[in-house]
Amino acid sequence: MSNEWPLWEVFIRGQHGMSHRHVGSLHAADAESAMMNARDVYTRRNEGVSIWVVEAAHIAASAPGDKGPLFEPANSKVYRHPTFFDIPDDAGAM
Amino acid sequence: MYAQMVKTAGTGVKKPKDMTAEEKAFQAKIDRNEKIEPKDWMPDDYRATLIRQIGQHAHSEIVGQLPEGNWLTRAPTLERKAILLAKVQDEAGHGLYLYSACETLGVSRDELTEMLLNGKMKYSSIFNYPTLNWADMGAVGWLVDGAAIMNQVPLQRTSYGPYSRAMVRICKEESFHQRQGYAIMMKMAAGTADQKRMAQDALDRLWFPSLMMFGPSNKESVHSEQSMAWRIKINTNDELRQKFVDQTVPQIEFLGLTCPDKDIKWNEEKGGYDYTDPDWSEFFAVLKGNGPCNKDRLAARNAAWKNGAWVRDAMLAHARKKAARKAVAA
Ligand SMILES: [Fe+2]
Ligand SMILES: [Fe+2]
């Protein structure tokens, strides 16, 4: 068995109530020390109010080759955007 | 520059007619300024060159902690000590960001560490010079971090996504490093005659080694067109060095110190200073392992790795034991 600590991905929520955002990775023996390391490395300048650490091996990711099947169907569905609809200014704020 | 003389893998820039369809699509993506991400197809030479470059950059951040660590316990005030400690701690973070970026290319952290420890991979020549007096902490922050910034700012636009994102984070933190260094120089240059002499001495010793950080002159440099086409090198060594000299000479004057290059002269026509190149034979000797501190630096890193082994192993054993106990309970 390799004695390298597993890889963890670090997600941080900033001050302003936004979602957690991926900020980087680190190696740690377990979740507890991953959390401590994340605090030390990624929040030295008040970057966050909350940390998630996830072992990288547990993340399922889409493959570059899936880009077409996954994302192209949205291209033709322009009616999902508000700008598709012509509403006269007279109708008021909408 | 923290990556010097990175040998570009491959046989140079291919003509479009010699490229495979995959290579053409890859180059077109880079030319459109799109990022290459870890799982995307990439030429083996691109991958190999990036591992060398990012790895060397990461090693430089880590070894770069040693010359400053030398002064942590001897800082003149508690505030200076806290500032220097914060700066050195940032450098550990920079090493981590870069190692992480490098690992996405399929090399493990332990492999990278071992290649540093056995001398297969290099780190920047600058960290093989000693830090002899407190003013060196000023000169290192100002000049060495200053030269690193020159190189790192354009690399934020590099083609490899994880490398580019690491550079963005690093650049945010670097300007504190340079400013704290210059603040030390200002204090010492305005201090007693002895303090001013120390500041000048630090500048005298670190000026030419700082110019070497950008790597050899274009005339002597290894063929880098391929790295430029791949956008993993953005500017030539001489371009960045010129920018650094033009920025730094007025800062020397502001301190009331003397530029160690006696022939430094403003050239109106080119809109920059004419300067003396560093002694490239010294540079190559330092890279080969014959600088003043090469042996000390590698010995310190090897000792840290060896002496820390039981801690790494114990933490992992503890984590495995805890996980096993949890599995039984569940
Ligand atoms: Fe750094
Ligand atoms: Fe720095």
Side-chain angles (χ1 to χ4, degrees):
Chain A
M1 215 185 294
S2 157
N3 268 347
E4 192 172 286
W5 290 347
L7 186 68
W8 299 74
E9 299 300 334
V10 181
F11 301 80
I12 302 232
R13 181 164 65 220
Q15 311 276 351
H16 307 293
M18 304 297 278
S19 324
H20 285 76
R21 210 175 132 229
H22 182 242
V23 292
S25 346
L26 50 80
H27 287 272
D30 57 15
E32 206 185 327
S33 54
M35 187 68 78
M36 291 313 294
N37 291 352
R39 196 278 311 261
D40 286 347
V41 181
Y42 292 107
T43 63
R44 290 200 300 281
R45 292 178 174 83
N46 285 321
E47 287 94 336
V49 294
S50 163
I51 303 176
W52 288 349
V53 289
V54 183
E55 208 177 322
H58 294 312
I59 292 183
S62 64
D66 298 339
K67 212 168 127 193
L70 284 177
F71 307 118
E72 268 163 25
N75 289 346
S76 57
K77 296 175 180 61
V78 281
Y79 44 80
R80 286 174 174 171
H81 297 278
T83 45
F84 178 75
F85 303 94
D86 259 332
I87 307 287
D89 287 349
D90 294 345
M94 203 176 287
Chain B
M1 198 194 269
Y2 281 3
Q4 300 157 321
M5 307 273 302
V6 173
K7 197 172 162 293
T8 308
T11 48
V13 183
K14 282 188 188 167
K15 294 198 177 69
K17 68 172 173 59
D18 299 327
M19 286 184 180
T20 65
E22 272 171 325
E23 287 171 336
K24 256 186 223 160
F26 174 82
Q27 188 61 51
K29 206 168 164 188
I30 290 176
D31 295 341
R32 287 194 304 271
N33 276 331
E34 284 175 31
K35 297 287 182 226
I36 308 299
E37 295 297 340
K39 287 185 173 181
D40 292 342
W41 184 89
M42 62 185 85
D44 291 344
D45 292 336
Y46 175 84
R47 187 186 298 275
T49 308
L50 267 178
I51 290 175
R52 279 180 208 154
Q53 180 173 332
I54 304 176
Q56 190 183 115
H57 198 153
H59 298 327
S60 299
E61 301 285 353
I62 298 301
V63 177
Q65 297 178 102
L66 296 171
E68 288 175 311
N70 185 37
W71 282 91
L72 280 174
T73 54
R74 282 173 278 170
T77 67
L78 187 57
E79 187 187 51
R80 292 284 178 200
K81 183 176 183 166
I83 293 171
L84 188 60
L85 195 57
K87 197 250 183 210
V88 173
Q89 194 187 15
D90 274 355
E91 305 300 2
H94 296 177
L96 170 73
Y97 310 154
L98 287 159
Y99 282 131
S100 299
C102 204
E103 287 172 75
T104 65
L105 292 160
V107 60
S108 78
R109 177 78 63 89
D110 282 0
E111 284 170 321
L112 287 166
T113 304
E114 273 152 25
M115 285 190 278
L116 167 68
L117 298 183
N118 65 25
K120 273 203 190 125
M121 286 181 89
K122 302 274 178 233
Y123 53 88
S124 177
S125 56
I126 189 73
F127 302 120
N128 290 315
Y129 290 85
T131 44
L132 301 177
N133 84 52
W134 171 253
D136 287 27
M137 294 303 95
V140 165
W142 168 39
L143 300 173
V144 175
D145 290 74
I149 291 171
M150 279 291 159
N151 169 243
Q152 292 174 155
V153 166
L155 275 176
Q156 294 179 97
R157 293 179 282 116
T158 186
S159 63
Y160 190 54
Y163 192 22
S164 152
R165 292 189 282 274
M167 282 297 127
V168 170
R169 277 196 78 84
I170 287 176
C171 286
K172 267 193 207 147
E173 299 181 349
E174 282 294 353
S175 83
F176 145 62
H177 298 180
Q178 192 182 19
R179 292 171 71 112
Q180 65 87 33
Y182 198 68
I184 293 175
M185 292 304 276
M186 280 170 47
K187 192 95 186 169
M188 295 196 69
T192 63
D194 269 348
Q195 287 169 330
K196 188 167 180 183
R197 189 184 45 71
M198 285 162 76
Q200 182 67 52
D201 171 58
L203 172 60
D204 288 347
R205 279 180 291 106
L206 286 162
W207 172 259
F208 284 111
S210 297
L211 295 191
M212 291 178 198
M213 287 177 68
F214 298 94
S217 165
N218 300 347
K219 297 153 247 159
E220 297 187 46
S221 186
V222 278
H223 168 88
S224 61
E225 282 156 53
Q226 177 64 83
S227 286
M228 287 191 145
W230 282 334
R231 287 181 71 80
I232 58 180
K233 187 175 172 76
I234 313 282
N235 304 93
T236 68
N237 297 348
D238 286 333
E239 267 166 25
L240 291 173
R241 189 168 16 249
Q242 181 71 54
K243 250 182 113 177
F244 175 76
V245 169
D246 292 346
Q247 173 184 292
T248 308
V249 172
Q251 294 171 344
I252 296 176
E253 284 162 10
F254 184 82
L255 291 172
L257 298 179
T258 310
C259 182
D261 180 352
K262 299 288 167 257
D263 296 321
I264 197 95
K265 203 170 148 243
W266 178 255
N267 181 331
E268 190 62 51
E269 204 180 314
K270 79 170 177 186
Y273 287 91
D274 289 332
Y275 61 90
T276 309
D277 258 337
D279 176 357
W280 293 117
S281 63
E282 176 182 320
F283 170 75
F284 289 114
V286 174
L287 272 199
K288 264 212 183 113
N290 300 320
C293 298
N294 296 57
K295 288 192 183 68
D296 284 357
R297 301 300 185 226
L298 269 189
R301 289 315 307 156
N302 271 289
W305 183 247
K306 209 174 118 225
N307 298 337
W310 72 270
V311 179
R312 294 192 300 276
D313 291 346
M315 287 193 68
L316 196 61
H318 177 66
R320 281 175 181 156
K321 205 165 84 183
K322 242 182 8 183
R325 214 179 279 149
K326 212 169 153 189
V328 169

